[in-house]
Amino acid sequence: MKRALITGITGQDGRYLSQLLTSKGYQVFGLIAGQANPKAKLLMEENPSLDLVGGDLRDLPSLIAAVEQVQPDEVYNLGAISFVQLSFKQAELTAEITGLGVLRMLEAIRIVGGTDKNPIRFYQASSSEMFGKVRETPQKESTPFHPRSPYGVAKVFGHDMTVNYRESYDLHASSGILFNHESERRGLEFVTRKITNSLARIKLGIQDTISLGNLDSARDWGYAGDYVEAMWLMLQQDEPDDYVIATGETHTIREFLEVAFRIAGYDDWEPFVNHDTRFDRPAEVDLLLGDATKAREKLGWTPKVGFEELVTRMYESDLKSEQSNLDAGRR
Ligand code: NAP
Ligand code: G4F
């Protein structure tokens, strides 16, 4: 039975990845921060076979202890401050967790090591935010980085460290440069889920409008359930490498609104949306569009869920849960 250690297990991707690996027969361990993390209960309900191990990406000894205890075949480093807007306000904390946390995890693996016959394989959750002020479109593995946020800068550090440990210590370390991926489990702070959740509340008469920032930026949005499959595929290759994971389709926030409101039965979204400068960013990433040809050719990976289906799934899930909150007298 293969053993996997996942950091960021309570996040959107951690939840999908743990279920994928369990379905493939892995024994899955999740690193969980804090002394009484409230998300632990939900995780165990979703995946009762999961083992949770205490640890924090700010604390190298806890990572060494976790790797020693778990003796993993594969480590997936998904833990991060992942909200770009927060990274402008808490830049140092973002550098500490999203950036230095990668170095600490790599060090824990280097120090504990695996056996010569069975070295530990490492996956780093890199991001299309690293392309930032894009130098070419579509973006591929060779596109230079130009990050536009403390989050993007921290991800470039983590990405480069992963490449450096691969080259210096012959570690099986791969990076997935993942473009935005969403789902019913996406955090409410991200624009897609903020829209589908608010829209469900508008439909049910609980809320009147949505306050948003810049509607002109464009993102290459895929489905998280498809993207965790790519993470696993990267660690099954003989050689470690870096891969762009994307759909090859881009849409503005305006287009997301148009589709979501149409699905909910409205002709026009504009009367329901306000501009609120609090959601504008000091520097914006205007356009992301990925070219995942390498992943298709080498990993055999392609996305399954398209844009319209993604929006529909998210809206319908939010409508269902907001309706059941309403029925239970919770708002
Ligand atoms: P997410 O939902 O925000 O999850 C982040 C996870 O990091 C949570 O489990 C969180 O734990 C954990 N974490 C935060 N601080 C930590 C610390 N000090 N020590 C240990 N764990 C810590 O993110 P996601 O959307 O699943 O994304 C997963 C990874 O992929 C992240 O690294 C993100 O930056 C990257 N990424 C995401 C996308 C995307 O579109 N989703 C695209 C490219 C890259 P708590 O719940 O305990 O706070
Ligand atoms: O949903 P977002 O917050 O995602 P963003 O900034 O693209 O970052 C996500 O994707 C990255 C991959 O490219 C990940 F690495 C990262 O961890 C995260 O998962 O914002 C998307 C766009 C931005 O242009 C933002 O300015 O939506 C715009 N936006 C407009 N109004 C808003 C809002 N974003 C949020 N979160 N909230 C708004 O009210």
Side-chain angles (χ1 to χ4, degrees), residues 53-65:
V53 183
D56 195 300
L57 287 166
R58 289 168 290 192
D59 182 34
L60 177 60
S62 74
L63 301 180
I64 293 174

Side-chain angles (χ1 to χ4, degrees), residues 145-157:
F145 300 140
H146 186 147
R148 295 274 281 170
S149 62
Y151 169 82
V153 173
K155 281 289 179 189
V156 172
F157 175 84

Side-chain angles (χ1 to χ4, degrees), residues 29 31 51 63 72 94 100 121 126 133 139 157 165 173 180 182 193 231 233 239-241 250 273 285 287 297 301:
F29 297 82
L31 187 90
D51 282 295
L63 301 180
T94 303
L100 279 171
R121 296 185 173 199
S126 286
K133 191 170 182 177
Q139 296 87 47
F157 175 84
Y165 269 59
N180 298 49
E182 319 294 311
R193 183 78 198 290
M231 298 175 188
L233 282 168
E239 297 301 325
D241 209 339
T250 193
V273 175
V285 172
L287 168 76
E297 289 177 351
W301 179 86

Side-chain angles (χ1 to χ4, degrees), residues 83 86 98 115-116 158 248 271 322:
F83 186 31
L86 179 67
T98 306
T115 59
D116 284 348
E322 287 298 333

Side-chain angles (χ1 to χ4, degrees), residues 10-13 37 39 56-57 78 80 82 151 155 178 181:
T10 57
Q12 170 188 255
D13 292 6
N37 194 313
K39 296 178 191 160
D56 195 300
L57 287 166
L78 312 184
S82 78
Y151 169 82
K155 281 289 179 189
L178 270 54
H181 44 282

